[in-house]
PDB file of all heavy atoms in Angstrom:
ATOM      1  N   GLU A1628      28.750  -8.054   4.314  1.00 97.00           N
ATOM      2  CA  GLU A1628      27.578  -8.949   4.022  1.00 97.00           C
ATOM      3  C   GLU A1628      27.853 -10.403   4.383  1.00 97.00           C
ATOM      4  O   GLU A1628      29.051 -10.897   4.272  1.00 97.00           O
ATOM      5  CB  GLU A1628      27.341  -8.911   2.509  1.00 97.00           C
ATOM      6  CG  GLU A1628      26.672  -7.576   2.053  1.00 97.00           C
ATOM      7  CD  GLU A1628      25.422  -7.176   2.838  1.00 97.00           C
ATOM      8  OE1 GLU A1628      24.611  -8.069   3.046  1.00 97.00           O
ATOM      9  OE2 GLU A1628      25.363  -6.010   3.222  1.00 97.00           O
ATOM     10  N   SER A1629      26.837 -11.069   4.878  1.00 98.00           N
ATOM     11  CA  SER A1629      26.972 -12.504   5.250  1.00 98.00           C
ATOM     12  C   SER A1629      26.824 -13.350   4.037  1.00 98.00           C
ATOM     13  O   SER A1629      26.347 -12.945   2.986  1.00 98.00           O
ATOM     14  CB  SER A1629      25.837 -12.852   6.244  1.00 98.00           C
ATOM     15  OG  SER A1629      24.547 -12.724   5.573  1.00 98.00           O
ATOM     16  N   LYS A1630      27.233 -14.590   4.182  1.00 98.00           N
ATOM     17  CA  LYS A1630      27.082 -15.556   3.095  1.00 98.00           C
ATOM     18  C   LYS A1630      25.574 -15.692   2.717  1.00 98.00           C
ATOM     19  O   LYS A1630      25.221 -15.773   1.537  1.00 98.00           O
ATOM     20  CB  LYS A1630      27.652 -16.963   3.572  1.00 98.00           C
ATOM     21  CG  LYS A1630      27.517 -18.015   2.489  1.00 98.00           C
ATOM     22  CD  LYS A1630      28.279 -19.294   2.914  1.00 98.00           C
ATOM     23  CE  LYS A1630      28.051 -20.408   1.853  1.00 98.00           C
ATOM     24  NZ  LYS A1630      26.628 -20.886   1.794  1.00 98.00           N
ATOM     25  N   GLU A1631      24.738 -15.672   3.772  1.00 98.00           N
ATOM     26  CA  GLU A1631      23.285 -15.777   3.519  1.00 98.00           C
ATOM     27  C   GLU A1631      22.785 -14.661   2.636  1.00 98.00           C
ATOM     28  O   GLU A1631      21.974 -14.926   1.642  1.00 98.00           O
ATOM     29  CB  GLU A1631      22.533 -15.815   4.851  1.00 98.00           C
ATOM     30  CG  GLU A1631      22.626 -17.053   5.658  1.00 98.00           C
ATOM     31  CD  GLU A1631      24.017 -17.136   6.366  1.00 98.00           C
ATOM     32  OE1 GLU A1631      24.724 -16.099   6.531  1.00 98.00           O
ATOM     33  OE2 GLU A1631      24.435 -18.258   6.770  1.00 98.00           O
ATOM     34  N   SER A1632      23.188 -13.425   2.922  1.00 97.00           N
ATOM     35  CA  SER A1632      22.624 -12.370   2.081  1.00 97.00           C
ATOM     36  C   SER A1632      23.253 -12.410   0.638  1.00 97.00           C
ATOM     37  O   SER A1632      22.482 -12.078  -0.360  1.00 97.00           O
ATOM     38  CB  SER A1632      22.829 -10.976   2.700  1.00 97.00           C
ATOM     39  OG  SER A1632      24.149 -10.612   2.842  1.00 97.00           O
ATOM     40  N   MET A1633      24.480 -12.826   0.528  1.00 98.00           N
ATOM     41  CA  MET A1633      24.981 -12.990  -0.853  1.00 98.00           C
ATOM     42  C   MET A1633      24.359 -14.114  -1.651  1.00 98.00           C
ATOM     43  O   MET A1633      24.042 -14.020  -2.817  1.00 98.00           O
ATOM     44  CB  MET A1633      26.499 -13.160  -0.805  1.00 98.00           C
ATOM     45  CG  MET A1633      27.278 -11.892  -0.341  1.00 98.00           C
ATOM     46  SD  MET A1633      29.007 -12.078  -0.585  1.00 98.00           S
ATOM     47  CE  MET A1633      29.454 -13.227   0.745  1.00 98.00           C
ATOM     48  N   ASP A1634      24.014 -15.254  -0.891  1.00 98.00           N
ATOM     49  CA  ASP A1634      23.325 -16.330  -1.546  1.00 98.00           C
ATOM     50  C   ASP A1634      21.985 -15.945  -2.000  1.00 98.00           C
ATOM     51  O   ASP A1634      21.530 -16.205  -3.179  1.00 98.00           O
ATOM     52  CB  ASP A1634      23.214 -17.507  -0.466  1.00 98.00           C
ATOM     53  CG  ASP A1634      24.466 -18.340  -0.331  1.00 98.00           C
ATOM     54  OD1 ASP A1634      25.342 -18.194  -1.219  1.00 98.00           O
ATOM     55  OD2 ASP A1634      24.608 -18.945   0.722  1.00 98.00           O
ATOM     56  N   ALA A1635      21.227 -15.184  -1.174  1.00 98.00           N
ATOM     57  CA  ALA A1635      19.940 -14.745  -1.496  1.00 98.00           C
ATOM     58  C   ALA A1635      20.010 -13.833  -2.786  1.00 98.00           C
ATOM     59  O   ALA A1635      19.199 -13.918  -3.675  1.00 98.00           O
ATOM     60  CB  ALA A1635      19.286 -13.972  -0.368  1.00 98.00           C
ATOM     61  N   PHE A1636      21.052 -12.950  -2.772  1.00 98.00           N
ATOM     62  CA  PHE A1636      21.180 -12.073  -3.924  1.00 98.00           C
ATOM     63  C   PHE A1636      21.453 -12.862  -5.218  1.00 98.00           C
ATOM     64  O   PHE A1636      20.847 -12.622  -6.253  1.00 98.00           O
ATOM     65  CB  PHE A1636      22.252 -11.097  -3.659  1.00 98.00           C
ATOM     66  CG  PHE A1636      22.598 -10.163  -4.778  1.00 98.00           C
ATOM     67  CD1 PHE A1636      21.699  -9.150  -5.178  1.00 98.00           C
ATOM     68  CD2 PHE A1636      23.758 -10.368  -5.564  1.00 98.00           C
ATOM     69  CE1 PHE A1636      21.983  -8.345  -6.244  1.00 98.00           C
ATOM     70  CE2 PHE A1636      23.962  -9.525  -6.673  1.00 98.00           C
ATOM     71  CZ  PHE A1636      23.148  -8.532  -6.969  1.00 98.00           C
ATOM     72  N   ALA A1637      22.426 -13.813  -5.093  1.00 98.00           N
ATOM     73  CA  ALA A1637      22.812 -14.598  -6.299  1.00 98.00           C
ATOM     74  C   ALA A1637      21.584 -15.349  -6.801  1.00 98.00           C
ATOM     75  O   ALA A1637      21.321 -15.433  -8.026  1.00 98.00           O
ATOM     76  CB  ALA A1637      23.912 -15.556  -5.967  1.00 98.00           C
ATOM     77  N   GLU A1638      20.804 -16.003  -5.894  1.00 98.00           N
ATOM     78  CA  GLU A1638      19.648 -16.735  -6.304  1.00 98.00           C
ATOM     79  C   GLU A1638      18.582 -15.843  -6.979  1.00 98.00           C
ATOM     80  O   GLU A1638      17.960 -16.202  -7.988  1.00 98.00           O
ATOM     81  CB  GLU A1638      18.987 -17.470  -5.133  1.00 98.00           C
ATOM     82  CG  GLU A1638      19.762 -18.816  -4.827  1.00 98.00           C
ATOM     83  CD  GLU A1638      19.819 -19.155  -3.358  1.00 98.00           C
ATOM     84  OE1 GLU A1638      18.877 -18.874  -2.665  1.00 98.00           O
ATOM     85  OE2 GLU A1638      20.797 -19.819  -2.933  1.00 98.00           O
ATOM     86  N   THR A1639      18.413 -14.634  -6.422  1.00 98.00           N
ATOM     87  CA  THR A1639      17.429 -13.663  -7.036  1.00 98.00           C
ATOM     88  C   THR A1639      17.875 -13.219  -8.363  1.00 98.00           C
ATOM     89  O   THR A1639      17.105 -13.178  -9.311  1.00 98.00           O
ATOM     90  CB  THR A1639      17.200 -12.524  -6.059  1.00 98.00           C
ATOM     91  OG1 THR A1639      16.807 -13.023  -4.768  1.00 98.00           O
ATOM     92  CG2 THR A1639      16.165 -11.550  -6.610  1.00 98.00           C
ATOM     93  N   LEU A1640      19.169 -12.951  -8.432  1.00 98.00           N
ATOM     94  CA  LEU A1640      19.704 -12.453  -9.782  1.00 98.00           C
ATOM     95  C   LEU A1640      19.458 -13.515 -10.815  1.00 98.00           C
ATOM     96  O   LEU A1640      19.149 -13.247 -11.900  1.00 98.00           O
ATOM     97  CB  LEU A1640      21.224 -12.179  -9.521  1.00 98.00           C
ATOM     98  CG  LEU A1640      21.936 -11.395 -10.607  1.00 98.00           C
ATOM     99  CD1 LEU A1640      21.291 -10.085 -10.887  1.00 98.00           C
ATOM    100  CD2 LEU A1640      23.409 -11.161 -10.154  1.00 98.00           C
ATOM    101  N   PHE A1641      19.777 -14.774 -10.448  1.00 98.00           N
ATOM    102  CA  PHE A1641      19.529 -15.874 -11.400  1.00 98.00           C
ATOM    103  C   PHE A1641      18.091 -15.938 -11.782  1.00 98.00           C
ATOM    104  O   PHE A1641      17.748 -15.992 -12.987  1.00 98.00           O
ATOM    105  CB  PHE A1641      19.996 -17.176 -10.795  1.00 98.00           C
ATOM    106  CG  PHE A1641      19.702 -18.395 -11.709  1.00 98.00           C
ATOM    107  CD1 PHE A1641      20.338 -18.538 -12.876  1.00 98.00           C
ATOM    108  CD2 PHE A1641      18.678 -19.265 -11.376  1.00 98.00           C
ATOM    109  CE1 PHE A1641      20.037 -19.547 -13.797  1.00 98.00           C
ATOM    110  CE2 PHE A1641      18.391 -20.324 -12.153  1.00 98.00           C
ATOM    111  CZ  PHE A1641      19.028 -20.524 -13.374  1.00 98.00           C
ATOM    112  N   ARG A1642      17.162 -15.869 -10.851  1.00 98.00           N
ATOM    113  CA  ARG A1642      15.741 -15.953 -11.067  1.00 98.00           C
ATOM    114  C   ARG A1642      15.375 -14.838 -12.087  1.00 98.00           C
ATOM    115  O   ARG A1642      14.586 -15.076 -12.972  1.00 98.00           O
ATOM    116  CB  ARG A1642      15.055 -15.878  -9.755  1.00 98.00           C
ATOM    117  CG  ARG A1642      13.548 -15.917  -9.833  1.00 98.00           C
ATOM    118  CD  ARG A1642      13.070 -16.196  -8.442  1.00 98.00           C
ATOM    119  NE  ARG A1642      11.710 -15.678  -8.285  1.00 98.00           N
ATOM    120  CZ  ARG A1642      11.138 -15.498  -7.133  1.00 98.00           C
ATOM    121  NH1 ARG A1642      11.750 -15.752  -5.949  1.00 98.00           N
ATOM    122  NH2 ARG A1642       9.862 -15.096  -7.049  1.00 98.00           N
TER     123      ARG A1642
END
Side-chain angles (χ1 to χ4, degrees):
E1628 288 308 317
S1629 65
K1630 179 173 176 296
E1631 289 74 21
S1632 63
M1633 289 191 290
D1634 284 339
F1636 176 73
E1638 279 149 30
T1639 305
L1640 193 57
F1641 174 68
R1642 182 166 154 193

